[in-house]
């Protein structure tokens, strides 16, 4: 590139005799976008090298991106240098480009000014807000020794002299136009700046080197050790803040307004109403007599503490946000969250050594209990009861202690008794109830490991005289016991469960809604050893899935049924698939081993894996003790059925 010819150095010669052009923001934006790399290079060269290459790169981009006029139109006179001939597409005659270039030069000179305490800093003197790069240092590609020497020489010039040198070499302006630009950006003596720029050798072709191109960059990481130290310090600060917050939130001695509840969270009208004891719903005492429904929605509020607003407030607060000291339990598939709105009060009263509150939100029964003395040991239990009606809404556990159970019975229950299912011939023991419907304590089903000597069930007689039986399986609502074919189960009697009661232990705390026992086949045993019954026990859950199915083999002289097969989430023995097939190895009194199998009545033939095939729904064939036979059957409609698994 040839050095441009010098003209008389006087800013006065740069003033146009005509009116300065007016540039609108759309023209300026188009010029900035079109010539962005050239303008960023110009800003990079004018900025003082003392900023460092990473800071110079980001500042050059920031200054160029903020070079648009602030108003819709700018009335500033724009110097338009004389067009140079020779091609190359330089934008010398474009007023919009000249306007943007003037702003870039002005901002770059401001960025090089030292900060002074006596005045507010200009925006260009501060680190750029945008663009931002974290964790990396950016700089142009390295040039040769000549570029390095030129950069060092330019660093020794004043800001105005660097502008003069760069405008001459990069923009190709003559001295008159350079003086005009310097005057427009506020330079006091443009002639001195030109003289200072003359002291540097005119190596203008080097200004186009990649060394001075802030748009073609290399990246390197920042100080990794310092970054690691900063991250550790930030982590320690966050942990300290969390510890301080936890210490500030610790409660004092005694019950607070919200009892054992954690600090409050979001407040909204529905959430606040759910925590207000005055908003609790209560059914009229005789609502169940007039209603067509027999479910928890028509239970009246009972107990000697239904008017204790402080107790009810604590119960609602703990339900919404149980603290760490609260023992929370929920049946499988039951949400343990806050109430969606005002709940229904079923019971609030003293039971043994605790104050107990029972609440109902339409889907769940919630039991809150706190000790009558002291403030430790609060408990919160959830049970799913959506769709509960009739027998399923007959009773709720109000207290459980030392293996004994107390129930709150429904208002339509007229009498209660306890029946040991393993002793069906023994008469049920009458169970006293308080005026609020709370039963006297009685022993729950035996839970001794490996032993099953008794299994108590709750028998309730309603106002119509119907007797229904249920049993405790470790949850708030007892499981309803039925018997008979899956398509039409009936209310169970103690005799229906005398051989299967102990199998109920396998579904304890499983969210069971009801259990049906179905004797699906009777088989004459070989060698005149009597007869045996085959029964299928199916437990349905409140959540709809997770059912358990057991097939049992019962002999007349045996104390209980032997589990022949079992399955989970199987439709067998249910309304959708009312058939079953199971097999067992059996030893006769004479010591012979047999493979026995039985299917429901709709099984027309059974085949053993050894090839034995019999018509009908029972099979008996001699085998060895170590035999591992498999059974399959055919239903009356031709479909195949396999053993329960």
């Amino acid at each position: 590139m040839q050095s441009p010819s010098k003209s008389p150095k006087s800013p006065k010669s740069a003033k146009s005799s005509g009116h300065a052009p007016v540039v609108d923001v759309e023209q300026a934006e188009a010029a900035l976008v079109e010539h962005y790399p050239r303008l960023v290079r110009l800003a990079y060269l004018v900025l003082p090298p003392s900023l460092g290459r990473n800071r110079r790169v980001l500042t050059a981009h920031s200054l160029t991106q903020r070079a648009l006029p602030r108003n819709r139109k700018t009335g500033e006179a724009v110097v338009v240098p004389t067009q140079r001939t020779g091609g190359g597409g330089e934008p010398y005659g474009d007023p919009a480009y000249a306007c943007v270039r003037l702003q870039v030069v002005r901002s770059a000179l401001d960025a090089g000014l030292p900060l002074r305490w006596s005045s507010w800093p200009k925006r260009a003197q501060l680190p750029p807000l945008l663009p931002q790069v974290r964790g990396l240092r950016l700089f142009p590609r390295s040039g040769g020794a000549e570029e390095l020497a030129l950069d060092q020489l330019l660093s020794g010039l004043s800001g105005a002299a660097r502008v003069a040198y760069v405008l001459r070499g990069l923009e190709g302006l003559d001295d008159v136009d350079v003086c005009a630009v310097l005057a427009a950006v506020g330079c006091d003596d443009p002639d001195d700046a030109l003289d200072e720029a003359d002291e540097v050798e005119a190596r203008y072709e080097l200004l186009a080197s990649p060394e001075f191109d802030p748009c073609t960059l290399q990246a390197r990481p920042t100080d990794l050790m310092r970054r690691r130290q900063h991250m550790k310090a930030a982590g320690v600060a966050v942990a300290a803040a969390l510890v301080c917050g936890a210490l500030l939130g610790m409660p004092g001695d005694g019950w607070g307004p919200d009892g054992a509840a954690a600090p409050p969270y979001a407040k909204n009208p529905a959430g606040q109403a759910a925590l207000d004891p005055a908003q609790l719903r209560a059914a009229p005492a005789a609502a169940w007599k007039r209603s067509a429904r027999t479910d928890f929605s028509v239970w009246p509020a009972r107990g000697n503490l239904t008017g204790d607003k402080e107790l009810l407030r604590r119960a609602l607060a703990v339900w919404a946000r149980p603290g760490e000291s609260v023992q929370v339990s929920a049946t499988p598939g039951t949400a343990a969250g806050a109430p969606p709105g005002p709940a229904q009060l079923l019971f609030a009263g003293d039971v043994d050594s605790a104050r107990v509150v029972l609440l109902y939100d339409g889907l769940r029964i919630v039991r809150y209990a706190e000790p009558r003395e002291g403030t430790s040991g609060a408990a919160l239990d959830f049970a799913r009861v959506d769709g509960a009606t009739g027998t399923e809404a007959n009773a709720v556990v109000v207290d459980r202690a030392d293996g004994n159970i107390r129930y709150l019975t429904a208002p339509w229950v007229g009498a209660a008794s306890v029946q040991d299912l393993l002793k069906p011939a023994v008469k049920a023991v009458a169970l006293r109830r308080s005026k609020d419907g709370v039963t006297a304590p009685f022993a729950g089903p035996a839970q001794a490991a490996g032993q099953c000597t008794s299994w108590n069930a709750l028998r309730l007689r309603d106002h119509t005289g119907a007797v229904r039986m249920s049993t405790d399986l470790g949850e708030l609502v007892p499981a309803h016991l039925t018997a008979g074919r899956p398509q039409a189960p009936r209310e169970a009697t103690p005799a229906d469960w005398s051989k299967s009661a102990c199998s109920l232990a396998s579904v304890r705390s499983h969210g069971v809604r009801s259990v049906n026992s179905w004797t699906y086949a009777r088989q004459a045993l070989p060698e005149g050893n009597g007869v045996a019954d085959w029964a299928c026990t199916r437990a349905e859950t409140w959540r709809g899935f997770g059912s358990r199915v057991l097939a049992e083999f019962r002999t007349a002289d045996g104390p209980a049924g032997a589990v022949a097969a079992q399955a989970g989430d199987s439709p067998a023995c249910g309304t959708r698939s009312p058939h079953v097939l199971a097999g067992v190895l059996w030893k006769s009194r004479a010591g012979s081993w047999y493979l026995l199998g039985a299917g429901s009545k709709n099984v027309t033939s059974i085949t053993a894996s050894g090839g034995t095939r019999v018509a009908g729904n029972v099979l008996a064939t001699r085998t060895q003790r170590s035999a591992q036979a498999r059974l399959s059957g055919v239903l009356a409609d031709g479909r195949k059925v396999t053993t329960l698994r």
Side-chain angles (χ1 to χ4, degrees), residues 62-119:
S62 178
L63 297 179
T64 304
Q65 293 172 12
R66 292 190 289 110
L68 290 177
R70 294 185 180 275
N71 299 323
R72 189 65 182 172
K73 291 188 176 181
T74 176
E76 181 181 10
V78 179
V79 178
V80 181
T82 305
Q83 288 274 6
R84 291 165 54 85
T85 59
E90 292 86 349
Y92 300 134
D94 183 0
Y97 174 78
C99 176
V100 175
R101 179 181 63 192
L102 187 66
Q103 182 60 34
V104 170
V105 171
R106 180 184 289 116
S107 299
L109 286 175
D110 290 343
L113 296 175
L115 293 172
R116 300 183 184 277
W117 293 104
S118 59
S119 61

Side-chain angles (χ1 to χ4, degrees), residues 139-303:
F139 49 88
R141 295 180 179 178
S142 300
E146 294 178 336
E147 288 86 348
L148 180 60
L150 177 61
D151 194 39
Q152 292 175 345
L153 291 174
L154 292 177
S155 67
L157 298 178
S158 65
R162 278 197 304 275
V163 170
Y165 189 92
V166 173
L167 289 178
R168 280 175 173 175
L170 189 64
E171 295 293 289
L173 301 185
D174 58 25
D175 289 352
V176 174
D177 296 331
V178 171
C179 286
V181 173
L182 289 173
V185 298
C187 179
D188 294 333
D189 195 341
D191 289 331
D192 285 348
L194 286 171
D195 291 338
E196 185 181 354
D198 288 339
E199 297 175 4
V200 178
E201 181 182 359
R203 300 293 304 279
Y204 298 136
E205 70 278 1
L206 297 178
L207 297 179
S209 168
E211 173 77 21
F212 306 114
D213 183 8
C215 291
T216 305
L217 302 172
Q218 293 179 315
R220 293 292 184 273
T222 56
D223 190 332
L224 299 179
M225 293 301 297
R226 180 177 298 177
R227 188 197 305 175
R228 181 180 297 176
Q229 293 171 354
H230 289 173
M231 292 297 292
K232 288 182 179 179
V236 171
V238 171
L242 293 176
V243 171
C244 291
L247 293 176
L248 291 175
M250 291 182 65
D253 297 332
W255 289 115
D258 293 342
Y265 56 96
K267 296 182 179 180
N268 57 71
Q272 291 301 102
L275 300 179
D276 185 0
Q279 299 292 326
L280 283 173
R281 295 179 290 107
W288 65 272
K289 297 179 181 179
R290 300 186 297 269
S291 175
R293 303 168 60 177
T294 53
D295 57 15
F296 292 110
S297 67
V298 295
W299 277 35
R302 291 172 286 176

Side-chain angles (χ1 to χ4, degrees), residues 509-532:
S509 301
H510 191 62
V512 174
R513 181 173 190 164
S514 62
V515 191
N516 185 62
S517 179
W518 172 36
T519 302
Y520 65 88
R522 171 163 288 195
Q523 181 177 22
L525 297 176
E527 302 181 8
N529 282 194
V531 295

Side-chain angles (χ1 to χ4, degrees), residues 10 38 145 191 215 219 256 261 273 288 303 332 342 371 427-428 510-511 538 598 633 635:
S10 174
R38 187 188 194 96
D191 289 331
C215 291
W288 65 272
K427 186 179 179 180
H510 191 62
R538 180 179 178 86
L635 299 176

Side-chain angles (χ1 to χ4, degrees), residues 330-332 472-475 504-512 543 548:
T331 58
D472 175 64
L473 292 179
E475 294 161 344
L504 292 169
S506 64
V507 293
R508 190 188 299 272
S509 301
H510 191 62
V512 174
R543 58 191 183 277
R548 298 286 181 89

